Amino acid sequence: MKPTSLSKLPVWLAVILTLIMVILVRESAVVICQLLGMAKAANVVGMVAMFLILITWRMVKGLPIWLTRASNILLVDSGFAFLPVSAGAGLLLFALGDELWGVILTMAISTLIPLWGLALLSNRWLSNTVDTDTKRKGQS
């Protein structure tokens, strides 16, 4: 991919352009979903549309450096955006009553089992020992 004049955009302009692109796709999804009578699906439709746009852009032309840099900045700095959602979910958990312990157990199991599997795979991948799965009989 040849560097273009757009690849030398200042960071602040790249962030603004990225935000404009995200807002346009999301608001277009809201309008389309409202016209189709399924307004609650707008966020998912917008997310899938943005994914398809970015995949197509990457396959056809390649993603510009400014978009990648701005996206990384937005992802790193937007970690605090999830705090209100987490706090609200925590408060709602206590409104479950008798179902609270079942929900907590389900969340713990569905989190711990994948983490345990990932830890096993990571340990195998990162270890310097011989992989016994691919080792043939008679070889040392």
Side-chain angles (χ1 to χ4, degrees):
M1 180 176 86
K2 287 193 283 185
T4 62
S5 61
L6 286 178
S7 66
K8 300 192 188 248
L9 284 175
V11 174
W12 64 270
L13 185 58
V15 169
I16 290 173
L17 287 174
T18 304
L19 286 173
I20 289 171
M21 185 173 57
V22 169
I23 291 168
L24 281 173
V25 171
R26 197 251 178 208
E27 293 304 317
S28 299
V30 168
V31 170
I32 291 170
C33 287
Q34 283 178 346
L35 290 175
L36 296 174
M38 49 184 204
K40 293 187 180 202
N43 288 331
V44 174
V45 170
M47 182 176 57
V48 171
M50 179 62 87
F51 176 73
L52 293 174
I53 289 168
L54 290 174
I55 288 293
T56 304
W57 191 354
R58 182 176 183 222
M59 294 298 175
V60 171
K61 193 171 180 180
L63 293 175
I65 295 168
W66 63 265
L67 181 62
T68 305
R69 187 174 34 167
S71 298
N72 288 337
I73 290 170
L74 288 170
L75 285 174
V76 168
D77 293 339
S78 68
F80 292 112
F82 295 104
L83 288 177
V85 175
S86 300
L91 291 174
L92 288 176
L93 275 177
F94 292 107
L96 290 174
D98 294 339
E99 297 174 357
L100 174 66
W101 294 111
V103 170
I104 288 175
L105 183 65
T106 302
M107 288 172 32
I109 291 172
S110 65
T111 303
L112 292 176
I113 290 176
L115 283 175
W116 176 70
L118 181 63
L120 288 176
L121 288 172
S122 298
N123 188 27
R124 176 176 279 184
W125 183 59
L126 293 172
S127 69
N128 292 329
T129 59
V130 176
D131 188 3
T132 57
D133 293 338
T134 58
K135 188 176 176 182
R136 292 186 182 148
K137 291 181 182 177
Q139 290 181 343
S140 48

